[in-house]
Amino acid sequence: MFYRKNFATKDSKSLKLRFNKFDEWKGEDDAKLEINQTKNCYNFSFCKGALTPSYGFEQLALPSTQSDAHTTFNIGATEILKAWYFPMYESYSGEDKHYVFYLAQDMTIYFFNVHEDKFMYESDATFTEIPTGAAFRINSDNDTMFFASSADQTVGLNGLGFQTYENIPKFVSGCWYGPYLFLLTIGDNNELQYSRQRIDIWNFDNVKTAELPDIRGGMTQLVALKDYLYLFTNFGITRLSLYSTNADVAETHIYHSTSYIYPQSIAKSGEEIMFFADDGLYRLKGSGVEKIELPIIANMTANANNDCSGVCFDGKYFLACKYDFGDSQTVGCESGTYVNNAMVVYDMTTEEFEVVRGIDIRQLFTIQTPKVKKLCALFRGEKKGLIGQLTHDGLFFGTPLAKQWNSAQTDFGYAGNDKCVTEVVVRPHTQGTLTISAETQSQQLQIADSDLSQRFRVRVFGKVFSLSFDCQQTAPHISCPQITVEVFS
């Protein structure tokens, strides 16, 4: 005789969760996040809802005298240490010229015209250390590009060629404000000097030195914006304005901090100035400074960023920096020695952002002429002798950057309940890996390169889950994932 024995089983209900979009990066606790919101993402863009390639770089291409078609060209440098773009009006020819200057490994300044055939001009200017570069107009009509360092004489280039200017002080920053030229001199006790004298006959008897009490650290950068001149120091910002017939300077200290401001991060866009400090990202607008609260600030400020580089372009702030991803991955330049390993891109209007990983960027700069508008970069490592231009294809000189998106951890709204993920549907448009993880279990799914939806049967048990997508292919477009979860009571 057989006796029937009833075994107790858990009741369950099935949930189907569909991602309408990959949502923005959030900084709240995981308990407040949805599974379509990321806690860590690099080399993917998700601003349009799907996972698509983020930014990359390719070799700079520019027009020539004969054609407006952009073509690449050989710089011919072993390594480029610094670059400057400068539009120059040549009074003797009555023409606007657009030059890119660069300091090569031999410490010599070379330059070429953006709109003409790419002939690399070698200057007579050779340095013993990397100089500061700034553009001033002299004699009312002659634009001149000046270079200065603490160990070398100040030199300038205009339509008449390079020449030494022994009477111009060595400077770390300079710009015109009204009819006056302002310079920050080099040295531990650097000064703010200014004069309305023609710069080629700069006369120290007529040069004024601004008396600025309570300056927070050394003076590092001058930025003219609307009606004011902003003086950046190591730990603060002072707003300057001219008054009286004696050209006296009035100062208002608008920002003080205990955090160091990285001078090479300071960039102007329209009526705003962006900058990066030890404790995060800031914007200056009008008379106020506000901190930009991003959920990635801790990753950006985990390391000293003395070699960061920032620039504004197309309504976005681009910052090359050293970023702590906090994982065991090695992407691109991280497989060897590097200084910077990331580029953070912040949209100044929408406040959305992306993180590019695996490129050691030495410097960011822009070229903006009537025909050409490009964000450019110099690099360390294998591409150290090239100038790159920004792309939005996730490629670094033709090689796809490794891409990863990680979700927040979620309990699907059922805290404490046992659960099992049983099915995943995804439309990837690329080859990659989808990983489903719980506390003690995980399962990797190999996604094929297909435009069709792909359905995977899985069994991952746990209480809290997360997802990650990994891709090293070109042109991914991952959209509309759907997860089936069994929730046990």
Side-chain angles (χ1 to χ4, degrees), residues 158-178:
N158 55 33
L160 303 177
F162 267 94
Q163 59 181 306
T164 301
Y165 290 80
E166 297 181 355
N167 55 335
I168 299 176
K170 299 174 181 181
F171 59 90
V172 294
S173 181
C175 69
W176 282 105
Y177 170 50

PDB file of all heavy atoms in Angstrom, residues 158-178:
ATOM      1  N   ASN A 158      54.936  86.463 -34.322  1.00  0.00           N
ATOM      2  CA  ASN A 158      53.879  87.095 -35.092  1.00  0.00           C
ATOM      3  C   ASN A 158      54.231  86.981 -36.574  1.00  0.00           C
ATOM      4  O   ASN A 158      55.081  86.162 -36.936  1.00  0.00           O
ATOM      5  CB  ASN A 158      53.648  88.554 -34.655  1.00  0.00           C
ATOM      6  CG  ASN A 158      54.927  89.383 -34.702  1.00  0.00           C
ATOM      7  OD1 ASN A 158      55.790  89.162 -35.556  1.00  0.00           O
ATOM      8  ND2 ASN A 158      55.051  90.344 -33.799  1.00  0.00           N
ATOM      9  N   GLY A 159      53.572  87.773 -37.400  1.00  0.00           N
ATOM     10  CA  GLY A 159      53.820  87.663 -38.829  1.00  0.00           C
ATOM     11  C   GLY A 159      55.242  87.957 -39.235  1.00  0.00           C
ATOM     12  O   GLY A 159      55.660  87.624 -40.346  1.00  0.00           O
ATOM     13  N   LEU A 160      56.021  88.571 -38.358  1.00  0.00           N
ATOM     14  CA  LEU A 160      57.422  88.894 -38.651  1.00  0.00           C
ATOM     15  C   LEU A 160      58.377  87.833 -38.137  1.00  0.00           C
ATOM     16  O   LEU A 160      59.591  87.983 -38.242  1.00  0.00           O
ATOM     17  CB  LEU A 160      57.760  90.261 -38.051  1.00  0.00           C
ATOM     18  CG  LEU A 160      56.878  91.425 -38.518  1.00  0.00           C
ATOM     19  CD1 LEU A 160      57.277  92.704 -37.800  1.00  0.00           C
ATOM     20  CD2 LEU A 160      56.956  91.583 -40.029  1.00  0.00           C
ATOM     21  N   GLY A 161      57.833  86.743 -37.545  1.00  0.00           N
ATOM     22  CA  GLY A 161      58.674  85.664 -37.060  1.00  0.00           C
ATOM     23  C   GLY A 161      58.847  85.686 -35.557  1.00  0.00           C
ATOM     24  O   GLY A 161      58.199  86.450 -34.834  1.00  0.00           O
ATOM     25  N   PHE A 162      59.739  84.824 -35.041  1.00  0.00           N
ATOM     26  CA  PHE A 162      60.018  84.731 -33.621  1.00  0.00           C
ATOM     27  C   PHE A 162      61.079  85.759 -33.224  1.00  0.00           C
ATOM     28  O   PHE A 162      62.021  86.015 -33.962  1.00  0.00           O
ATOM     29  CB  PHE A 162      60.542  83.332 -33.262  1.00  0.00           C
ATOM     30  CG  PHE A 162      59.465  82.384 -32.827  1.00  0.00           C
ATOM     31  CD1 PHE A 162      58.855  81.533 -33.733  1.00  0.00           C
ATOM     32  CD2 PHE A 162      59.068  82.337 -31.501  1.00  0.00           C
ATOM     33  CE1 PHE A 162      57.875  80.647 -33.336  1.00  0.00           C
ATOM     34  CE2 PHE A 162      58.080  81.457 -31.094  1.00  0.00           C
ATOM     35  CZ  PHE A 162      57.482  80.616 -32.007  1.00  0.00           C
ATOM     36  N   GLN A 163      60.916  86.316 -32.036  1.00  0.00           N
ATOM     37  CA  GLN A 163      61.961  87.165 -31.471  1.00  0.00           C
ATOM     38  C   GLN A 163      61.876  87.130 -29.956  1.00  0.00           C
ATOM     39  O   GLN A 163      60.839  86.772 -29.377  1.00  0.00           O
ATOM     40  CB  GLN A 163      61.834  88.600 -31.976  1.00  0.00           C
ATOM     41  CG  GLN A 163      60.515  89.283 -31.669  1.00  0.00           C
ATOM     42  CD  GLN A 163      60.465  90.695 -32.225  1.00  0.00           C
ATOM     43  OE1 GLN A 163      61.342  91.505 -31.947  1.00  0.00           O
ATOM     44  NE2 GLN A 163      59.451  90.986 -33.035  1.00  0.00           N
ATOM     45  N   THR A 164      62.976  87.469 -29.312  1.00  0.00           N
ATOM     46  CA  THR A 164      63.059  87.474 -27.860  1.00  0.00           C
ATOM     47  C   THR A 164      62.605  88.814 -27.311  1.00  0.00           C
ATOM     48  O   THR A 164      62.918  89.862 -27.868  1.00  0.00           O
ATOM     49  CB  THR A 164      64.501  87.187 -27.403  1.00  0.00           C
ATOM     50  OG1 THR A 164      64.901  85.904 -27.911  1.00  0.00           O
ATOM     51  CG2 THR A 164      64.605  87.177 -25.893  1.00  0.00           C
ATOM     52  N   TYR A 165      61.835  88.778 -26.222  1.00  0.00           N
ATOM     53  CA  TYR A 165      61.335  89.987 -25.562  1.00  0.00           C
ATOM     54  C   TYR A 165      61.902  90.019 -24.141  1.00  0.00           C
ATOM     55  O   TYR A 165      61.304  89.501 -23.199  1.00  0.00           O
ATOM     56  CB  TYR A 165      59.807  89.998 -25.533  1.00  0.00           C
ATOM     57  CG  TYR A 165      59.170  90.199 -26.878  1.00  0.00           C
ATOM     58  CD1 TYR A 165      59.049  89.149 -27.777  1.00  0.00           C
ATOM     59  CD2 TYR A 165      58.712  91.449 -27.262  1.00  0.00           C
ATOM     60  CE1 TYR A 165      58.471  89.336 -29.022  1.00  0.00           C
ATOM     61  CE2 TYR A 165      58.131  91.654 -28.512  1.00  0.00           C
ATOM     62  CZ  TYR A 165      58.011  90.589 -29.387  1.00  0.00           C
ATOM     63  OH  TYR A 165      57.449  90.771 -30.621  1.00  0.00           O
ATOM     64  N   GLU A 166      63.067  90.609 -23.994  1.00  0.00           N
ATOM     65  CA  GLU A 166      63.725  90.608 -22.702  1.00  0.00           C
ATOM     66  C   GLU A 166      63.010  91.506 -21.689  1.00  0.00           C
ATOM     67  O   GLU A 166      63.182  91.348 -20.484  1.00  0.00           O
ATOM     68  CB  GLU A 166      65.186  91.056 -22.858  1.00  0.00           C
ATOM     69  CG  GLU A 166      66.014  90.115 -23.718  1.00  0.00           C
ATOM     70  CD  GLU A 166      67.453  90.574 -23.842  1.00  0.00           C
ATOM     71  OE1 GLU A 166      67.752  91.673 -23.340  1.00  0.00           O
ATOM     72  OE2 GLU A 166      68.257  89.836 -24.448  1.00  0.00           O
ATOM     73  N   ASN A 167      62.233  92.468 -22.171  1.00  0.00           N
ATOM     74  CA  ASN A 167      61.590  93.410 -21.258  1.00  0.00           C
ATOM     75  C   ASN A 167      60.233  92.933 -20.753  1.00  0.00           C
ATOM     76  O   ASN A 167      59.631  93.583 -19.920  1.00  0.00           O
ATOM     77  CB  ASN A 167      61.422  94.768 -21.940  1.00  0.00           C
ATOM     78  CG  ASN A 167      60.659  94.654 -23.261  1.00  0.00           C
ATOM     79  OD1 ASN A 167      60.650  93.597 -23.881  1.00  0.00           O
ATOM     80  ND2 ASN A 167      60.033  95.735 -23.679  1.00  0.00           N
ATOM     81  N   ILE A 168      59.745  91.805 -21.270  1.00  0.00           N
ATOM     82  CA  ILE A 168      58.455  91.282 -20.828  1.00  0.00           C
ATOM     83  C   ILE A 168      58.699  90.273 -19.711  1.00  0.00           C
ATOM     84  O   ILE A 168      59.515  89.356 -19.864  1.00  0.00           O
ATOM     85  CB  ILE A 168      57.710  90.621 -21.993  1.00  0.00           C
ATOM     86  CG1 ILE A 168      57.444  91.655 -23.088  1.00  0.00           C
ATOM     87  CG2 ILE A 168      56.400  90.007 -21.518  1.00  0.00           C
ATOM     88  CD1 ILE A 168      56.802  91.080 -24.307  1.00  0.00           C
ATOM     89  N   PRO A 169      58.026  90.407 -18.579  1.00  0.00           N
ATOM     90  CA  PRO A 169      58.267  89.478 -17.469  1.00  0.00           C
ATOM     91  C   PRO A 169      57.848  88.051 -17.824  1.00  0.00           C
ATOM     92  O   PRO A 169      56.951  87.844 -18.648  1.00  0.00           O
ATOM     93  CB  PRO A 169      57.390  90.047 -16.346  1.00  0.00           C
ATOM     94  CG  PRO A 169      56.357  90.870 -17.031  1.00  0.00           C
ATOM     95  CD  PRO A 169      57.011  91.428 -18.242  1.00  0.00           C
ATOM     96  N   LYS A 170      58.505  87.119 -17.204  1.00  0.00           N
ATOM     97  CA  LYS A 170      58.112  85.717 -17.368  1.00  0.00           C
ATOM     98  C   LYS A 170      56.791  85.510 -16.629  1.00  0.00           C
ATOM     99  O   LYS A 170      56.629  85.958 -15.499  1.00  0.00           O
ATOM    100  CB  LYS A 170      59.203  84.809 -16.820  1.00  0.00           C
ATOM    101  CG  LYS A 170      60.540  84.983 -17.540  1.00  0.00           C
ATOM    102  CD  LYS A 170      61.629  84.172 -16.878  1.00  0.00           C
ATOM    103  CE  LYS A 170      62.969  84.378 -17.589  1.00  0.00           C
ATOM    104  NZ  LYS A 170      64.057  83.587 -16.973  1.00  0.00           N
ATOM    105  N   PHE A 171      55.861  84.835 -17.276  1.00  0.00           N
ATOM    106  CA  PHE A 171      54.509  84.784 -16.740  1.00  0.00           C
ATOM    107  C   PHE A 171      53.960  83.359 -16.728  1.00  0.00           C
ATOM    108  O   PHE A 171      54.392  82.497 -17.501  1.00  0.00           O
ATOM    109  CB  PHE A 171      53.583  85.678 -17.567  1.00  0.00           C
ATOM    110  CG  PHE A 171      53.505  85.293 -19.026  1.00  0.00           C
ATOM    111  CD1 PHE A 171      52.557  84.396 -19.471  1.00  0.00           C
ATOM    112  CD2 PHE A 171      54.390  85.833 -19.951  1.00  0.00           C
ATOM    113  CE1 PHE A 171      52.496  84.029 -20.809  1.00  0.00           C
ATOM    114  CE2 PHE A 171      54.339  85.474 -21.290  1.00  0.00           C
ATOM    115  CZ  PHE A 171      53.385  84.562 -21.721  1.00  0.00           C
ATOM    116  N   VAL A 172      52.993  83.133 -15.843  1.00  0.00           N
ATOM    117  CA  VAL A 172      52.272  81.861 -15.807  1.00  0.00           C
ATOM    118  C   VAL A 172      50.885  82.000 -16.424  1.00  0.00           C
ATOM    119  O   VAL A 172      50.259  81.011 -16.787  1.00  0.00           O
ATOM    120  CB  VAL A 172      52.143  81.324 -14.369  1.00  0.00           C
ATOM    121  CG1 VAL A 172      53.492  80.961 -13.805  1.00  0.00           C
ATOM    122  CG2 VAL A 172      51.434  82.330 -13.463  1.00  0.00           C
ATOM    123  N   SER A 173      50.401  83.237 -16.552  1.00  0.00           N
ATOM    124  CA  SER A 173      49.103  83.475 -17.182  1.00  0.00           C
ATOM    125  C   SER A 173      49.027  84.944 -17.575  1.00  0.00           C
ATOM    126  O   SER A 173      49.664  85.796 -16.946  1.00  0.00           O
ATOM    127  CB  SER A 173      47.962  83.131 -16.225  1.00  0.00           C
ATOM    128  OG  SER A 173      46.696  83.338 -16.839  1.00  0.00           O
ATOM    129  N   GLY A 174      48.268  85.240 -18.608  1.00  0.00           N
ATOM    130  CA  GLY A 174      48.115  86.619 -19.031  1.00  0.00           C
ATOM    131  C   GLY A 174      46.919  86.800 -19.928  1.00  0.00           C
ATOM    132  O   GLY A 174      46.534  85.878 -20.653  1.00  0.00           O
ATOM    133  N   CYS A 175      46.299  87.971 -19.859  1.00  0.00           N
ATOM    134  CA  CYS A 175      45.196  88.266 -20.762  1.00  0.00           C
ATOM    135  C   CYS A 175      44.921  89.762 -20.756  1.00  0.00           C
ATOM    136  O   CYS A 175      45.353  90.494 -19.848  1.00  0.00           O
ATOM    137  CB  CYS A 175      43.931  87.493 -20.375  1.00  0.00           C
ATOM    138  SG  CYS A 175      43.171  88.032 -18.845  1.00  0.00           S
ATOM    139  N   TRP A 176      44.189  90.226 -21.772  1.00  0.00           N
ATOM    140  CA  TRP A 176      43.750  91.617 -21.836  1.00  0.00           C
ATOM    141  C   TRP A 176      42.461  91.768 -21.051  1.00  0.00           C
ATOM    142  O   TRP A 176      41.575  90.928 -21.093  1.00  0.00           O
ATOM    143  CB  TRP A 176      43.510  92.035 -23.286  1.00  0.00           C
ATOM    144  CG  TRP A 176      44.759  92.331 -24.040  1.00  0.00           C
ATOM    145  CD1 TRP A 176      45.339  91.531 -24.979  1.00  0.00           C
ATOM    146  CD2 TRP A 176      45.577  93.488 -23.936  1.00  0.00           C
ATOM    147  NE1 TRP A 176      46.476  92.121 -25.473  1.00  0.00           N
ATOM    148  CE2 TRP A 176      46.651  93.331 -24.842  1.00  0.00           C
ATOM    149  CE3 TRP A 176      45.535  94.645 -23.161  1.00  0.00           C
ATOM    150  CZ2 TRP A 176      47.648  94.270 -25.006  1.00  0.00           C
ATOM    151  CZ3 TRP A 176      46.529  95.594 -23.315  1.00  0.00           C
ATOM    152  CH2 TRP A 176      47.563  95.398 -24.234  1.00  0.00           C
ATOM    153  N   TYR A 177      42.384  92.867 -20.328  1.00  0.00           N
ATOM    154  CA  TYR A 177      41.155  93.243 -19.650  1.00  0.00           C
ATOM    155  C   TYR A 177      40.989  94.746 -19.843  1.00  0.00           C
ATOM    156  O   TYR A 177      41.783  95.535 -19.322  1.00  0.00           O
ATOM    157  CB  TYR A 177      41.219  92.875 -18.166  1.00  0.00           C
ATOM    158  CG  TYR A 177      40.087  93.436 -17.332  1.00  0.00           C
ATOM    159  CD1 TYR A 177      38.761  93.280 -17.722  1.00  0.00           C
ATOM    160  CD2 TYR A 177      40.354  94.124 -16.151  1.00  0.00           C
ATOM    161  CE1 TYR A 177      37.730  93.793 -16.960  1.00  0.00           C
ATOM    162  CE2 TYR A 177      39.337  94.644 -15.381  1.00  0.00           C
ATOM    163  CZ  TYR A 177      38.020  94.468 -15.789  1.00  0.00           C
ATOM    164  OH  TYR A 177      37.003  94.979 -15.034  1.00  0.00           O
ATOM    165  N   GLY A 178      39.990  95.132 -20.644  1.00  0.00           N
ATOM    166  CA  GLY A 178      39.883  96.526 -21.039  1.00  0.00           C
ATOM    167  C   GLY A 178      41.091  96.908 -21.868  1.00  0.00           C
ATOM    168  O   GLY A 178      41.549  96.143 -22.716  1.00  0.00           O
TER     169      GLY A 178
END
